[in-house]
Amino acid sequence: MPIHLQIEATRGPARAGKLITPHGEVETPVFMPVGTLGSVKGVSQDVLEELGVEILLGNTYHLYLRPGVETVRKMGGLHRFMSWDRAILTDSGGFQVFSLNDLRKVSEEGVAFRSHLDGSAHFLSPEKAVEIQIGLGADIIMAFDECTEYPAEAQRARDSMELTLRWAERCKSYFEEHKNEVPWGSSQLSSPKDGNSKKGPDGQTQALFGIIQGGMDSDLRRESAERTIDIGFRGYAIGGLSVGEPRELTRDIVELTLEHLPSNQPRYLMGVGTPEEIAHYAQMGVDMMDCVLPTRAARHGLLFTSEGKISIKQARYAQDESALDPACECRVCQRYSRAYLRHLYASNELLAQVLNTIHNLHYYLATMRTVRNWIRAGVPK
Ligand SMILES: [Zn+2]
């Protein structure tokens, strides 16, 4: 069976189930921590496993520049390279490249850009983005799209959507021709039929997801959804959001786009949000989300707790003996006081980043667990 979603319960538009991948099952709705360079900054893979992370996100743009796709491919793909047996999703690099503003030039063929590391010149096309993602070997890979900026004129939003649709066709064609080149070796995945198989168990390969664009225009969003579905992907992502628009608008666009997506396939909302937002989107029927917020905020001493956000750097915590979040069951809250965490942060200790990130990730994962239980208390399928 190819990668697919098993829906096991619904509640209103929300669904809970399992995403079946070549590297294990993922309980959905799921929050995917971001491991930009093959690492969730500050947290080792064994701790991620203990936290219950079942799928990680890797960034194609960053991995392409460092260590480079050939290195990762020769090391057996990203799973083996980073010693992570569970599922991985890579983005297409599009969003990062579009964030380079002064360092990029978009054409029909693709995007020319300069590395943020050393200024060297590179080119990403739909074909190249898929080729790199096949080399990295994530379970789920994303079509190369243009993230429409906000605000955008009506014609600009349409032109951008049309470009993304043409690129989606090219991504699909390239993927269909090359999907058996994924670097999963038999030493990592048992393949009873063929010991040298380049595919995962049962002949599984990667899944390519399409991305819906269309700016903040409801008609364009519907058209983008319908035409992307016509091209045909294993799952669909809602892209082009969290680009500076008001939060209510994000919610409106998500809601109306979801109505046009197939109910039996995974729906992925890219790059959102706060714990309240991810819970809300899951209740609206989103299956997968990612965001740098819990990990990035943690490194800046900003912690999400059941009592609201805490800025651990504040002097008021200097002699606070209580746990960071008394309601949290994570290993950090079980062991350390706010006073100690505040001291680590104020002293710029590496451990501050590690512990803060572990707590924030636990908080996000626990939030999604609560939502899944809420949905499962609805209607079993
Ligand atoms: Zn905690």
Side-chain angles (χ1 to χ4, degrees), residues 119-151:
S120 56
H122 300 270
F123 191 80
L124 265 186
S125 63
E127 292 80 8
K128 183 79 184 171
V130 174
E131 179 191 344
I132 294 168
Q133 291 184 85
I134 291 173
L136 297 174
D139 300 272
I140 297 169
I141 68 176
M142 302 302 299
F144 189 66
D145 64 327
E146 182 180 52
C147 181
T148 313
E149 67 284 354
Y150 176 84

Side-chain angles (χ1 to χ4, degrees), residues 235-247:
Y236 296 92
I238 304 174
L241 293 176
S242 294
V243 288
E245 78 281 8
R247 286 291 155 90

Side-chain angles (χ1 to χ4, degrees), residues 172-318:
K172 172 92 186 285
S173 309
Y174 187 91
F175 180 69
E176 289 303 324
E177 276 174 41
H178 299 270
K179 63 185 176 188
N180 292 329
E181 294 168 16
V182 66
W184 300 333
S186 55
S187 60
Q188 185 190 16
L189 291 169
S190 55
S191 183
K193 284 183 210 143
D194 176 5
N196 296 316
S197 173
K198 289 286 183 188
K199 299 175 188 175
D202 306 315
Q204 288 203 61
T205 56
Q206 297 168 290
L208 176 65
F209 281 19
I211 303 179
I212 314 302
Q213 289 287 345
M216 305 301 156
D217 182 311
S218 54
D219 290 335
L220 286 184
R221 284 279 167 180
R222 177 180 42 77
E223 185 177 340
S224 175
E226 288 170 353
R227 290 170 63 188
T228 307
I229 292 162
D230 284 345
I231 297 168
F233 293 94
R234 290 258 162 232
Y236 296 92
I238 304 174
L241 293 176
S242 294
V243 288
E245 78 281 8
R247 286 291 155 90
E248 311 82 74
L249 186 54
T250 316
R251 272 194 284 274
D252 290 347
I253 297 292
V254 170
E255 189 162 26
L256 70 92
T257 307
L258 282 171
E259 286 172 20
H260 303 294
L261 297 182
S263 59
N264 59 346
Q265 284 183 282
R267 304 152 160 186
Y268 166 26
L269 177 57
M270 308 178 84
V272 293
T274 63
E276 297 76 31
E277 285 167 344
I278 61 163
H280 186 69
Y281 291 129
Q283 289 167 339
M284 286 166 60
V286 171
D287 304 306
M288 307 161 67
M289 283 168 274
D290 76 281
C291 193
V292 294
L293 187 58
T295 41
R296 184 175 289 167
R299 298 197 298 278
H300 291 97
L302 205 61
L303 301 163
F304 297 96
T305 78
S306 57
E307 298 169 357
K309 261 185 285 184
I310 283 184
S311 176
I312 199 66
K313 69 184 79 169
Q314 290 177 357
R316 59 198 275 210
Y317 301 119

Side-chain angles (χ1 to χ4, degrees), residues 82-192:
M82 66 181 283
S83 184
W84 177 255
D85 289 340
R86 301 183 182 182
I88 301 177
L89 178 149
T90 46
D91 65 4
S92 67
F95 186 78
Q96 257 91 23
V97 168
F98 286 104
S99 306
L100 292 172
N101 286 325
D102 303 339
L103 298 170
R104 60 157 164 94
K105 192 168 184 305
V106 184
S107 64
E108 182 66 33
E109 190 49 33
V111 184
F113 64 96
R114 290 193 174 276
S115 160
H116 73 287
L117 296 173
D118 59 6
S120 56
H122 300 270
F123 191 80
L124 265 186
S125 63
E127 292 80 8
K128 183 79 184 171
V130 174
E131 179 191 344
I132 294 168
Q133 291 184 85
I134 291 173
L136 297 174
D139 300 272
I140 297 169
I141 68 176
M142 302 302 299
F144 189 66
D145 64 327
E146 182 180 52
C147 181
T148 313
E149 67 284 354
Y150 176 84
E153 301 282 334
Q155 189 59 46
R156 162 64 195 147
R158 166 161 286 281
D159 292 346
S160 176
M161 181 198 79
E162 296 282 355
L163 181 66
T164 287
L165 284 164
R166 291 192 296 275
W167 285 359
E169 295 257 18
R170 286 166 56 186
C171 287
K172 172 92 186 285
S173 309
Y174 187 91
F175 180 69
E176 289 303 324
E177 276 174 41
H178 299 270
K179 63 185 176 188
N180 292 329
E181 294 168 16
V182 66
W184 300 333
S186 55
S187 60
Q188 185 190 16
L189 291 169
S190 55
S191 183

